[in-house]
Amino acid sequence: MDNTFQENETVRMEAFSDGVFAIDITLLTFELKAPRHPDGDYSSVMLLHALFKQWPAYIAFGLSFATIFIIWVNHHRMYNVIRRSDSRFMYYNGLHLLLVSTIPFTTSLMSNYIATEAMTLAGFVYMFLFAGICATLYLMWSHATKDYLLLKRPAADVKVQTVRMGLVISIIAYVVAALASFLSPYLSLLIGFGMVVYLSRLKYHRERVV
Amino acid sequence: MDNTFQENETVRMEAFSDGVFAIDITLLTFELKAPRHPDGDYSSVMLLHALFKQWPAYIAFGLSFATIFIIWVNHHRMYNVIRRSDSRFMYYNGLHLLLVSTIPFTTSLMSNYIATEAMTLAGFVYMFLFAGICATLYLMWSHATKDYLLLKRPAADVKVQTVRMGLVISIIAYVVAALASFLSPYLSLLIGFGMVVYLSRLKYHRERVV
Amino acid sequence: MDNTFQENETVRMEAFSDGVFAIDITLLTFELKAPRHPDGDYSSVMLLHALFKQWPAYIAFGLSFATIFIIWVNHHRMYNVIRRSDSRFMYYNGLHLLLVSTIPFTTSLMSNYIATEAMTLAGFVYMFLFAGICATLYLMWSHATKDYLLLKRPAADVKVQTVRMGLVISIIAYVVAALASFLSPYLSLLIGFGMVVYLSRLKYHRERVV
Amino acid sequence: MDNTFQENETVRMEAFSDGVFAIDITLLTFELKAPRHPDGDYSSVMLLHALFKQWPAYIAFGLSFATIFIIWVNHHRMYNVIRRSDSRFMYYNGLHLLLVSTIPFTTSLMSNYIATEAMTLAGFVYMFLFAGICATLYLMWSHATKDYLLLKRPAADVKVQTVRMGLVISIIAYVVAALASFLSPYLSLLIGFGMVVYLSRLKYHRERVV
């Protein structure tokens, strides 16, 4: 059995992941750019108009920020019930981070193409990435909970099936959102915001009274 | 009652927030750009002139740096008197980080439009964001101190009303600064620098002698 | 003997290194850019075409991400068996970070030139940097294990020779990959992906059953 | 006496500073850019030529990386002998971080103007910033050691005068380097590299055998 990684390994891997999440969520800010202005006179009204024209960027920024935040919360809740790590779990986590760190790219796609015909594809890619990210969370969870392999004791408090179901539902919902962007990009975005609420409610272990 | 998040959750959320603050304050550096130069001869005098022409960027960089720093100090002082977190507090904190991470954007607006007519609007947006950030701090504080819900003991040392008042004053001051930019952008900036001093003096708990 | 740096110094240096690794791996995302589009109509098919044309960027992003991740794992495993640090170890570590933080640059070279004739040189530089990074890991390891100078006890569990050999093999493999890019860039990339697997299997100490 | 900040405050401020240092040192990588290439054929020889033409960027990157690293080491060594913080120390530290986070800007100046006539001024600004950074370290040290105010016990081990002298020498040396850039930019750079070695040798407390 390959148990190289101990508890303190789990701590470091989580800290490293936290770093990637924090940087990623902050890099989204590059989606928001001060509108270029020609030299010479430039009035507040013109700037206001230019700022309003950037609305797709604000929506993409807001949804991506909320989604990264809520995925971080879930990643974090998962680690909270995990006692140790092994190589496979580490690689699943690496894959998870790889996908998370491409969110600024798909966000940029969204905010660049949201007002064009190509938004259909941009929305599809954007939502499909979130499905993939939930799939890596599912892989991590499945592996960690198989025979209660990596769980903290008492494992009885861990909601193995609830989370498994919750992540499957999330994957399906994001695939639906991806496909929905062929019908209406705005429906797709709505599902995206709904998923932030849904994922915020996923509980990984029974609550104990403090 | 939804008390999923325990004390160690508070630690992680604070560490995550610290990461976002640290990255955000460092990303401001992108406001400072080496002036482009045409090929061929380019003398020190020409560079000096080009550097001086960038003065709005230096002011925006300085004020934003100082403000993020002092908001981090306040965020940090608040967490110092908080024992645990709940879902609502976590979302208020997420909203707080969302607003904080748009500071590089409004800073960029400021430094791009400070010398144009549109500075009025740029200054308004810039200061209004700070009002919003103080408002999220107020939300966090109100929720945490309601019935002493999330406070560390002994809660008697926590200056609940002082901080509440201080944050309300900050919100008002930043709204005034935002409106003042319609009169004079420079007055608005002055209020901004004054607020850095004011916020640095807000104490969250009674001092104990070490 | 110059033993200024104690155990808690090791902790901080590792935390600082972790920060640099986490930021570096996240900055790779700037390789992935939303394709520019002309104003006016822009269909999903055109966007799909533009996205496919960026395949070199995806390969470069993926390989660099995987390599930084696996080098971080190795850096981390090394620190796990090290008890304390001295000045020389600290400088070797600094040199290591210097090279690691140029990976986004060589990645950018790769993704810009992968489809041109100049890919030969881009591939050479890209792979040669990885050889250099493994060489700095080798320097760190050699110094730390000389007379078991900086190792944790019981040092008998530390696989001094295995790691030394593994790092020498890695250096050679990356030099071969660098030279291979003169024959075929794709062979070179294949070696690169193979090395991720190889480096993931390097064990720094004997496993103990938990 | 204003002693709001306790020991754990020192820990957080140091962690926050570490974050800013780590991000700053990694952002230097943006100085290194893949050379643009015209569409069509582009040979390895042409790329090699273009890469060599970027030598000023490599020198600026290397010197800035080494200097940030060694200033981080000094900042860190200082915090190692400090027991607690007060408001003034915190503001000096904030000012220190403000200056540190402008290094990517002056580095960009250097690498853009190193081969032009304007290098004189670029070199002056670049070196003068380092003098300012050492001056903020000096302010921090003076305040912390006044009446042994913020020092860890036993304060007798702390090399108060050695460090004070070392920082004064560093300020002077960087001012000399700044002025030297009017004579010869390369002499100035040489002093810069020398200072990295000098600052790496500054000891903040007497060594104890482990």
Side-chain angles (χ1 to χ4, degrees):
Chain A
M1 212 164 101
D2 180 4
N3 286 334
T4 326
F5 275 71
Q6 319 294 323
E7 266 183 71
N8 87 320
E9 300 287 316
T10 312
V11 171
R12 299 211 65 97
M13 182 59 83
E14 196 179 1
F16 185 76
S17 306
D18 279 7
V20 171
F21 274 104
I23 299 158
D24 226 51
I25 211 170
T26 322
L27 290 186
L28 290 175
T29 198
F30 288 114
E31 279 321 297
L32 304 176
K33 293 201 181 72
R36 299 276 126 234
H37 67 92
D39 287 330
D41 286 349
Y42 200 82
S43 71
S44 281
V45 176
M46 287 158 80
L47 177 57
L48 192 65
H49 184 73
L51 284 174
F52 271 125
K53 260 186 63 183
Q54 293 189 350
W55 63 270
Y58 308 140
I59 290 183
F61 173 75
L63 180 52
S64 291
F65 191 99
T67 307
I68 295 182
F69 185 69
I70 219 60
I71 288 170
W72 172 75
V73 168
N74 273 271
H75 183 271
H76 181 33
R77 282 175 181 168
M78 188 181 289
Y79 263 94
N80 262 354
V81 297
I82 281 173
R83 187 172 54 109
R84 56 192 176 78
S85 174
D86 60 9
S87 294
R88 186 180 289 253
F89 190 76
M90 189 188 76
Y91 295 128
Y92 286 156
N93 191 55
L95 191 62
H96 179 69
L97 294 181
L98 177 75
L99 295 186
V100 166
S101 70
T102 59
I103 293 178
F105 167 58
T106 58
T107 305
S108 178
L109 268 187
M110 271 294 275
S111 76
N112 271 291
Y113 290 96
I114 210 173
T116 74
E117 264 189 75
M119 187 196 169
T120 305
L121 182 66
F124 178 82
V125 170
Y126 182 73
M127 289 300 170
F128 202 76
L129 176 65
F130 290 152
I133 287 170
C134 287
T136 52
L137 278 179
Y138 178 83
L139 280 177
M140 289 166 73
W141 187 246
S142 286
H143 181 66
T145 58
K146 201 176 60 185
D147 308 324
Y148 300 86
L149 193 63
L150 308 174
L151 292 184
K152 267 178 189 157
R153 303 291 180 260
D157 278 348
V158 178
K159 299 176 146 187
V160 177
Q161 289 309 320
T162 311
V163 172
R164 188 184 282 256
M165 276 299 293
L167 291 174
V168 168
I169 290 170
S170 303
I171 297 168
I172 294 171
Y174 278 125
V175 170
V176 168
L179 296 172
S181 78
F182 287 107
L183 292 174
S184 152
Y186 301 100
L187 173 63
S188 175
L189 286 172
L190 212 67
I191 300 176
F193 278 105
M195 287 310 295
V196 171
V197 176
Y198 179 78
L199 280 167
S200 76
R201 296 181 176 217
L202 209 50
K203 298 281 163 56
Y204 285 70
H205 64 87
R206 282 185 188 77
E207 299 162 19
R208 269 160 278 171
V209 180
V210 191
Chain B
M1 214 164 99
D2 180 5
N3 287 332
T4 327
F5 274 70
Q6 320 292 324
E7 265 184 74
N8 88 318
E9 301 288 314
T10 313
V11 171
R12 298 211 65 97
M13 182 59 83
E14 196 180 0
F16 185 76
S17 305
D18 280 6
V20 172
F21 275 104
I23 298 158
D24 226 51
I25 211 171
T26 322
L27 290 186
L28 290 174
T29 197
F30 287 114
E31 280 321 296
L32 305 176
K33 293 202 182 71
R36 300 275 124 235
H37 66 93
D39 287 329
D41 286 348
Y42 200 82
S43 71
S44 281
V45 175
M46 288 158 81
L47 177 56
L48 192 65
H49 184 71
L51 285 174
F52 271 124
K53 260 187 61 183
Q54 294 189 348
W55 64 269
Y58 308 140
I59 290 183
F61 172 75
L63 180 52
S64 292
F65 192 99
T67 306
I68 294 182
F69 185 70
I70 219 62
I71 288 170
W72 172 74
V73 168
N74 274 271
H75 182 271
H76 180 35
R77 282 176 181 167
M78 187 182 289
Y79 264 94
N80 263 354
V81 298
I82 280 172
R83 187 173 54 110
R84 58 193 175 77
S85 175
D86 60 10
S87 294
R88 186 179 288 254
F89 190 74
M90 189 188 76
Y91 296 128
Y92 286 156
N93 191 55
L95 192 62
H96 179 70
L97 294 181
L98 177 77
L99 295 186
V100 166
S101 71
T102 59
I103 294 177
F105 167 58
T106 58
T107 306
S108 178
L109 268 187
M110 271 293 275
S111 76
N112 271 290
Y113 290 94
I114 210 172
T116 76
E117 264 189 75
M119 187 197 168
T120 305
L121 182 67
F124 178 81
V125 171
Y126 181 74
M127 289 300 171
F128 202 76
L129 176 65
F130 290 152
I133 287 169
C134 287
T136 52
L137 277 179
Y138 178 84
L139 281 177
M140 288 166 72
W141 187 247
S142 288
H143 181 66
T145 58
K146 199 175 63 185
D147 308 325
Y148 300 87
L149 193 64
L150 308 174
L151 291 185
K152 267 179 189 155
R153 304 288 180 262
D157 279 348
V158 178
K159 301 177 146 187
V160 176
Q161 289 309 320
T162 312
V163 172
R164 188 184 284 257
M165 277 298 294
L167 291 174
V168 168
I169 290 170
S170 303
I171 297 169
I172 294 170
Y174 277 125
V175 170
V176 168
L179 296 172
S181 77
F182 288 107
L183 291 175
S184 153
Y186 301 100
L187 172 63
S188 176
L189 287 171
L190 213 66
I191 301 176
F193 278 105
M195 286 310 294
V196 171
V197 177
Y198 179 77
L199 280 167
S200 76
R201 296 182 176 215
L202 209 51
K203 298 279 162 56
Y204 284 71
H205 63 89
R206 280 182 189 81
E207 300 162 19
R208 269 160 278 172
V209 179
V210 190
Chain C
M1 213 161 99
D2 180 4
N3 287 333
T4 327
F5 276 70
Q6 319 294 324
E7 265 185 72
N8 88 319
E9 300 288 315
T10 312
V11 170
R12 297 211 65 95
M13 183 58 83
E14 196 180 0
F16 185 76
S17 305
D18 280 7
V20 172
F21 274 104
I23 299 158
D24 226 53
I25 212 170
T26 322
L27 290 185
L28 289 175
T29 198
F30 287 113
E31 279 321 297
L32 304 175
K33 293 202 182 72
R36 301 275 125 235
H37 66 92
D39 287 329
D41 287 348
Y42 200 81
S43 70
S44 281
V45 175
M46 286 158 81
L47 177 56
L48 191 67
H49 185 71
L51 284 174
F52 271 125
K53 261 187 61 185
Q54 293 189 350
W55 63 269
Y58 308 139
I59 290 182
F61 173 74
L63 180 52
S64 291
F65 192 98
T67 306
I68 294 181
F69 185 71
I70 220 60
I71 287 170
W72 172 74
V73 168
N74 273 270
H75 183 271
H76 181 32
R77 283 176 180 167
M78 187 182 292
Y79 263 93
N80 262 355
V81 298
I82 280 172
R83 185 172 55 110
R84 57 192 177 77
S85 175
D86 60 10
S87 294
R88 184 180 289 253
F89 190 74
M90 191 188 75
Y91 295 128
Y92 287 157
N93 192 55
L95 192 61
H96 180 68
L97 293 181
L98 177 75
L99 295 187
V100 166
S101 71
T102 58
I103 294 178
F105 168 57
T106 58
T107 306
S108 179
L109 267 188
M110 271 294 277
S111 76
N112 272 290
Y113 290 95
I114 209 172
T116 76
E117 263 189 75
M119 185 195 170
T120 304
L121 183 67
F124 178 81
V125 171
Y126 182 74
M127 289 299 170
F128 202 75
L129 176 65
F130 290 152
I133 287 170
C134 287
T136 52
L137 277 179
Y138 178 84
L139 280 177
M140 289 166 72
W141 187 247
S142 287
H143 181 65
T145 58
K146 200 175 62 184
D147 308 323
Y148 300 87
L149 194 63
L150 308 174
L151 291 185
K152 268 179 189 157
R153 304 288 180 263
D157 279 349
V158 178
K159 298 177 147 187
V160 177
Q161 289 309 320
T162 311
V163 172
R164 188 183 281 256
M165 276 298 294
L167 291 173
V168 169
I169 289 171
S170 302
I171 297 168
I172 293 171
Y174 278 124
V175 169
V176 168
L179 296 173
S181 78
F182 288 108
L183 291 175
S184 153
Y186 301 99
L187 172 63
S188 175
L189 287 172
L190 212 67
I191 300 176
F193 278 105
M195 287 310 295
V196 171
V197 177
Y198 179 78
L199 281 166
S200 76
R201 296 181 176 217
L202 209 51
K203 298 280 162 56
Y204 284 71
H205 63 88
R206 281 182 190 80
E207 300 161 19
R208 267 160 280 171
V209 180
V210 190
Chain D
M1 213 164 99
D2 180 4
N3 286 332
T4 327
F5 276 70
Q6 320 293 325
E7 265 185 73
N8 87 318
E9 301 288 316
T10 313
V11 170
R12 298 210 65 96
M13 184 58 82
E14 195 180 1
F16 185 76
S17 306
D18 279 7
V20 172
F21 274 104
I23 299 158
D24 226 52
I25 211 171
T26 323
L27 290 185
L28 290 175
T29 198
F30 288 113
E31 279 323 296
L32 304 175
K33 292 200 182 72
R36 300 274 126 236
H37 66 92
D39 287 329
D41 288 348
Y42 200 82
S43 70
S44 281
V45 175
M46 288 159 79
L47 176 56
L48 191 66
H49 185 72
L51 284 174
F52 270 125
K53 262 186 61 183
Q54 293 190 349
W55 63 269
Y58 308 139
I59 290 182
F61 173 75
L63 181 52
S64 292
F65 192 99
T67 306
I68 294 182
F69 186 70
I70 219 60
I71 287 170
W72 172 75
V73 167
N74 273 271
H75 183 271
H76 180 35
R77 281 177 182 166
M78 188 183 289
Y79 264 93
N80 263 354
V81 297
I82 282 172
R83 186 173 54 110
R84 58 194 176 76
S85 176
D86 61 10
S87 293
R88 186 179 289 253
F89 191 75
M90 190 188 75
Y91 296 127
Y92 286 157
N93 191 54
L95 192 61
H96 180 70
L97 293 181
L98 178 76
L99 295 187
V100 166
S101 71
T102 59
I103 294 178
F105 168 58
T106 58
T107 306
S108 178
L109 268 187
M110 271 294 276
S111 76
N112 272 290
Y113 290 95
I114 208 171
T116 76
E117 264 189 76
M119 186 193 171
T120 305
L121 182 67
F124 178 82
V125 171
Y126 182 75
M127 289 300 170
F128 202 75
L129 176 65
F130 290 152
I133 288 170
C134 287
T136 52
L137 278 179
Y138 179 84
L139 281 177
M140 288 166 72
W141 187 246
S142 287
H143 181 65
T145 59
K146 200 175 61 186
D147 308 324
Y148 299 88
L149 193 63
L150 307 174
L151 291 185
K152 266 178 189 157
R153 305 288 182 263
D157 278 348
V158 178
K159 299 177 146 186
V160 177
Q161 289 310 320
T162 311
V163 172
R164 189 183 281 257
M165 277 298 294
L167 290 174
V168 169
I169 289 171
S170 302
I171 297 168
I172 295 171
Y174 278 124
V175 170
V176 168
L179 296 172
S181 77
F182 288 107
L183 291 176
S184 152
Y186 301 99
L187 173 63
S188 176
L189 287 171
L190 212 66
I191 300 176
F193 278 105
M195 286 311 293
V196 171
V197 177
Y198 178 78
L199 280 166
S200 76
R201 296 183 177 214
L202 209 51
K203 298 279 162 57
Y204 285 69
H205 63 88
R206 279 179 192 81
E207 300 162 20
R208 270 161 277 171
V209 180
V210 191

